[in-house]
Amino acid sequence: MQEQKDNSLFDKSNAEEQDSLDWAKEAYEKLKKQQEEKKKSILVQESKELKSNDSFSNAFEASSLDNSITSNDQSDVKENASENKVLDSEEPSLGEFDKTFTWSAKVLEAQGRKVENISLDEINWLSRLQQGLEKTRKGFVTDLLDKFGDDPLTPETLDELETLLLRSDVGVDATDQIINALRKRLNEEVLDSKEGLRFLKEQLCKIVDQPIKNSGKTLLMPSENSLNIWLIVGVNGVGKTTTLGKLANLALRSGFSALIAAADTFRAAAVEQVKVWGERSGVSVVANETPNADPAAIVFDAIGAAKSKKIELLLVDTAGRLQTKNNLMEELTKVRKIIDRLAPEANVESLLVLDATQGQNGLSQAMSFAKSANLTGVVITKLDGSARGGVAFAVSSQTNLPIRFIGAGEGIRDLRPFNSFEFVEALLADS
Ligand SMILES: Nc1nc2c(ncn2[C@@H]2O[C@H](COP(=O)(O)OP(=O)(O)OP(=O)(O)O)[C@@H](O)[C@H]2O)c(=O)[nH]1
């Protein structure tokens, strides 16, 4: 796998290029056929549903009654009648066989994937990630490729690369690590621009992979048949609620049962917003409409509901807070205590949401949050609107927290588990 990964997309002979194109064409045909078959089966399904419409609506009303969770005086626990149904209305559709498609196919092929096993979701995500990182790329890669040129790398090129990396919010530590590694190679041998670029990609991957390796978990996903509680924390407006909705939907599409606790009672509209996401993603929400209700009490109820319904993933939305607001930081500690007391057996993750558009500023937040929230990972959002995608490297090198998910859009499917190879390829894509 590593060998395949090292086979940089930039470093292909003409014959390999042709093979990749054939691979992409085959993948495109396969996805097209799959989509046509799906359309046909939906049509058949719809005509069946039309016939049994009466019995369906009756059954729905009955099940929504059965599903209601008894409320108590602490919080009014509300259940969504369409509990744990995957909503596919936002399913992607296959676009043109264009440069973006072939690039996405190449990224999958380079990771050793087989045409039979790829999905439209993956192709679609890679296309959006590549397009989303365009702003970062424009301020970085275009200049980088210019600087690298066609000649072997020189110490001056490295100086210029250093400036570019710092300008893209890669941070001092990560930049030093990369430049030192390149300098060492350059002292040992002549590096042509292709090899220089391949080596740079390898170093970038190494930086973001290190905390993931240290955590002992390559991929963060809920453990099956047990309770997993993921706390979503971060300052105001970074995309916590949106991330939570996307995660809930991703969990469902991956076959896990999920429940949302709307524990952000600080902002007036937050509960309503979570409910909208709950409906959109097909996941039930435990909430309390009372302004400033106790978040710990909501988490208490949600854990009870999750246990009784054998839910695998409980996602907890928390209020956005600044590290200076001590009361809110204490509230987070209280929520954590409730979890430890009520569900000591649960796998708890505390994920800090960082907004990529804030670049390095987000980092100081991460550091101060780490104490009260026992952070275990990071989610980087808004990569689509940011020219500071390089901040991912600064986060990894300075906090040692694994990046678990990245978001690149406002759609429900615009969040995926973090994959360093895909991220670096998208960041340095030659287009
Ligand atoms: N372009 C883009 N917008 C995003 C992304 N994630 C979230 N947003 C937008 O960012 C805005 C804030 O998102 P929220 O999810 O409400 O943020 P929050 O952290 O829950 O906010 P508070 O509850 O105020 O703390 C919304 O308009 C989202 O649509 C992303 O990946 N890309």
Side-chain angles (χ1 to χ4, degrees), residues 100-119:
T100 313
F101 182 93
T102 50
W103 177 84
S104 306
K106 271 189 204 173
V107 172
L108 293 176
E109 186 207 3
Q111 294 178 86
R113 300 288 303 278
K114 298 268 172 285
V115 167
E116 311 80 80
N117 299 332
I118 64 162
S119 69

Side-chain angles (χ1 to χ4, degrees), residues 34-47:
Q34 228 176 38
Q35 191 163 303
E36 278 159 8
E37 276 165 10
K38 199 160 192 182
K39 264 188 204 151
K40 263 189 230 156
S41 78
I42 288 173
L43 281 177
V44 172
Q45 184 68 26
E46 275 175 0
S47 70

Side-chain angles (χ1 to χ4, degrees), residues 362-383:
L363 264 183
S364 54
Q365 296 161 14
M367 298 299 206
S368 46
F369 262 107
K371 277 191 231 135
S372 342
N374 284 334
L375 297 178
T376 54
V378 173
V379 180
I380 302 184
T381 58
K382 307 190 194 179
L383 279 164

Side-chain angles (χ1 to χ4, degrees), residues 271-399:
V271 173
E272 221 29 66
Q273 197 191 345
V274 176
K275 281 185 176 172
V276 171
W277 270 104
E279 239 162 68
R280 196 170 162 193
S281 54
V283 173
S284 307
V285 176
V286 176
N288 184 340
E289 309 291 336
T290 322
N292 288 319
D294 183 2
I298 294 163
V299 173
F300 183 98
D301 288 332
I303 292 176
K307 282 188 169 181
S308 75
K309 301 197 126 209
K310 297 207 170 6
I311 293 288
E312 289 165 301
L313 179 62
L314 172 62
L315 289 158
V316 182
D317 192 25
T318 65
R321 60 204 77 216
L322 289 170
Q323 55 272 30
T324 46
K325 297 236 164 148
N326 278 336
N327 55 335
L328 283 174
M329 297 306 270
E330 276 161 23
E331 193 180 281
L332 208 54
T333 313
K334 200 170 148 198
V335 165
R336 192 61 201 235
K337 275 192 189 145
I338 290 278
I339 294 174
D340 292 343
R341 186 157 61 79
L342 280 190
E345 75 292 358
N347 309 303
V348 184
E349 289 283 334
S350 193
L351 300 173
L352 178 77
V353 181
L354 286 178
D355 176 343
T357 59
Q358 294 179 3
Q360 287 271 333
N361 287 343
L363 264 183
S364 54
Q365 296 161 14
M367 298 299 206
S368 46
F369 262 107
K371 277 191 231 135
S372 342
N374 284 334
L375 297 178
T376 54
V378 173
V379 180
I380 302 184
T381 58
K382 307 190 194 179
L383 279 164
D384 53 314
S386 170
R388 298 168 151 193
V391 74
F393 305 99
V395 169
S396 296
S397 67
Q398 288 172 41
T399 68

Side-chain angles (χ1 to χ4, degrees), residues 142-188:
T142 321
D143 278 358
L144 177 80
L145 295 179
D146 265 4
K147 302 265 178 321
F148 271 33
D150 294 325
D151 300 326
L153 300 197
T154 61
E156 289 73 43
T157 330
L158 292 196
D159 289 344
E160 285 171 317
L161 174 63
E162 188 170 9
T163 312
L164 278 181
L165 289 168
L166 289 172
R167 221 174 56 198
S168 310
D169 274 52
V170 169
V172 177
D173 292 358
T175 302
D176 279 354
Q177 198 176 320
I178 294 162
I179 297 296
N180 289 341
L182 269 166
R183 211 161 261 148
K184 193 160 170 265
R185 270 291 303 269
L186 211 58
N187 285 338
E188 289 161 1

Side-chain angles (χ1 to χ4, degrees), residues 2-20:
Q2 193 53 43
E3 260 173 39
Q4 276 149 337
K5 279 191 170 191
D6 288 345
N7 180 9
S8 161
L9 299 183
F10 279 91
D11 203 12
K12 294 199 166 197
S13 66
N14 285 344
E16 282 173 325
E17 273 297 337
Q18 189 53 50
D19 282 351
S20 287

